[in-house]
Amino acid sequence: MITTATFLVLFIANGQLSLSKAQLHVGFYSKTCPSAESIVRKVVQQAVTRDPGSAAVLLRLHFHDCFVEGCDGSILIKHVVNNDERFAAGNAGVGGFDVIDGAKSELERLCPGVVSCADIVALAARDAVVAAKGPFYDVPTGRRDGQTAEKSNAANLPDVEDSINTLKSKFREKGLSDLDLVLLSAGAHTIGTTACFFVVPRLDAKDPTINPEFFQVLRSKCPQGGDVNVRIPLDWESQFVFDDQIFRNIRNGKGVILSDSVLYQDNNMKQMIDSYVVTNGSSKASFATDFAKAMVKMGSIGVKIGIKGEIRRICNATN
Ligand code: HEM
């Protein structure tokens, strides 16, 4: 005979089973908000048309979201006091919040309380990559939004001056391999810009790994005592196009920030970088395909699914 207690146990066990099975999947909103992905795409395309630089900004936003408390949109939260994650030193220059807010308000009109801000960030990063002529990839969705956003949680973000071993271990802590580090950090820097702030210390220290001619170019853009907020391309030859040029640059001593250049000092990573450089029309590995895989991996870091977290009504505040 099944008593109420047995039924409850069965029910809970079943609940736990389905919870443990809960995971991100492609097309999570196909029934609950069928136009979710197309709306995000449209908003991103409009933003990139207005300002081609916003593709890089949106890609970076996803990284900075995922590396603190998982991909849960916590970076979007903004309280009155500046004590939120987004104001941490390691998040300086991170942006794209207005684009995410714009997509969210359209989605709230259409399907209120359904699409998470964390998913909008992940989809927007993919659409930004596509807008920069990078690969399209399916984004598994179903993330829920985090309910905390402490500045102190962002203290351990990868830093431009971290040693190669520190960078590797910061990625490993998130379940990402050395190859993911190459693809996601150096690879993503195929688009976008950096403030001179991150370049000047390298120049002042006369970093010997910088190609001498390129050193002069960088020095002229980021002079000693100059404005450190001036922005220069991370991928010198093709800042708006998602391509393998960044790897050629790193190989030739033309990496702009230290954390990109330092990868080439490691034998394994050197080989990985070389494998993505297209010579005679082909390369041993496909940067586009591998980058897409690494993005999906990064997008699953510490996600809140099932009954965890919430679906925020607006992205810059918890409900
Ligand atoms: C080793 C880890 C990483 C370090 C140390 C690092 C460091 C930096 C720095 C210093 C900047 C310039 C910021 C500014 O001046 O506003 C930057 C920009 C950027 N980062 Fe990274 N990054 C890392 C990994 C990543 C990853 C994993 C992604 C994405 C998958 C990414 C995407 C970008 C993009 C697209 C930009 C350009 C942003 C813009 O144009 O505003 N980075 N990164």
Side-chain angles (χ1 to χ4, degrees):
M1 189 183 83
I2 296 187
T3 62
T4 312
T6 336
F7 177 77
L8 255 178
V9 169
L10 279 173
F11 180 76
I12 291 167
N14 192 36
Q16 277 170 349
L17 195 72
S18 57
L19 255 186
S20 68
K21 270 188 183 166
Q23 54 186 6
L24 302 181
H25 62 87
V26 176
F28 184 83
Y29 299 110
S30 59
K31 291 205 170 66
T32 50
C33 192
S35 46
E37 297 208 14
S38 59
I39 286 174
V40 176
R41 189 181 325 123
K42 183 196 73 182
V43 173
V44 169
Q45 278 170 350
Q46 286 169 346
V48 176
T49 305
R50 273 196 310 275
D51 170 13
S54 58
V57 174
L58 288 166
L59 173 56
R60 186 173 185 227
L61 179 65
H62 186 35
F63 159 52
H64 282 251
D65 183 26
C66 293
F67 264 63
V68 182
E69 299 280 295
C71 315
D72 68 347
S74 52
I75 195 167
L76 308 170
I77 293 174
K78 188 180 178 193
H79 292 105
V80 183
V81 282
N82 290 356
N83 200 30
D84 297 315
E85 185 183 320
R86 72 151 89 172
F87 299 111
N91 282 330
V94 171
F97 304 110
D98 48 340
V99 180
I100 305 300
D101 289 343
K104 176 67 171 172
S105 58
E106 275 205 40
L107 287 169
E108 280 303 292
R109 269 197 302 277
L110 264 179
C111 347
V114 172
V115 184
S116 71
C117 298
D119 275 343
I120 297 175
V121 171
L123 292 167
R126 186 270 312 276
D127 296 332
V129 168
V130 172
K133 302 193 169 38
F136 173 89
Y137 54 92
D138 284 324
V139 177
T141 39
R143 296 168 190 77
R144 291 171 62 86
D145 297 321
Q147 290 156 302
T148 52
E150 292 292 317
K151 201 178 193 172
S152 57
N153 292 342
N156 209 25
L157 275 164
D159 186 272
V160 77
E161 292 189 352
D162 281 343
S163 70
I164 184 111
N165 284 334
T166 304
L167 291 175
K168 283 180 180 179
S169 66
K170 284 183 176 176
F171 271 64
R172 279 182 197 155
E173 276 165 25
K174 305 288 176 195
L176 298 171
S177 67
D178 295 356
L179 178 61
D180 296 324
L181 169 60
V182 167
L183 289 161
L184 293 171
S185 66
H189 295 157
T190 176
I191 53 172
T193 58
T194 176
C196 280
F197 176 82
F198 296 107
V199 185
V200 165
R202 276 192 96 184
L203 300 178
D204 290 351
K206 302 210 166 21
D207 184 335
T209 66
I210 306 176
N211 167 303
E213 279 166 28
F214 190 58
F215 187 99
Q216 296 310 327
V217 175
L218 288 178
R219 189 82 278 185
S220 70
K221 303 287 176 192
C222 302
Q224 241 167 353
D227 179 0
V228 291
N229 295 311
V230 167
R231 300 194 70 84
I232 58 171
L234 283 162
D235 178 355
W236 207 258
E237 314 286 330
S238 63
Q239 117 184 48
F240 296 116
V241 185
F242 192 101
D243 57 10
D244 72 349
Q245 184 62 42
I246 184 75
F247 294 127
R248 288 167 195 278
N249 293 350
I250 293 172
R251 189 167 71 160
N252 296 332
K254 294 180 176 177
V256 173
I257 54 174
L258 186 59
S259 56
D260 285 351
S261 301
V262 85
L263 302 180
Y264 210 67
Q265 306 303 312
D266 176 279
N267 264 339
N268 279 341
M269 298 206 171
K270 179 178 184 297
Q271 282 176 26
M272 292 172 192
I273 290 172
D274 287 341
S275 75
Y276 289 114
V277 174
V278 178
T279 42
N280 305 324
S282 70
S283 74
K284 282 171 261 142
S286 164
F287 170 40
T289 311
D290 293 354
F291 177 80
K293 280 188 206 147
M295 283 296 285
V296 171
K297 224 168 142 184
M298 184 180 85
S300 69
I301 298 174
V303 289
K304 297 172 175 65
I305 41 184
I307 54 166
K308 288 191 182 153
E310 64 181 10
I311 304 296
R312 271 180 231 150
R313 279 188 290 274
I314 50 170
C315 288
N316 62 18
T318 54
N319 291 343

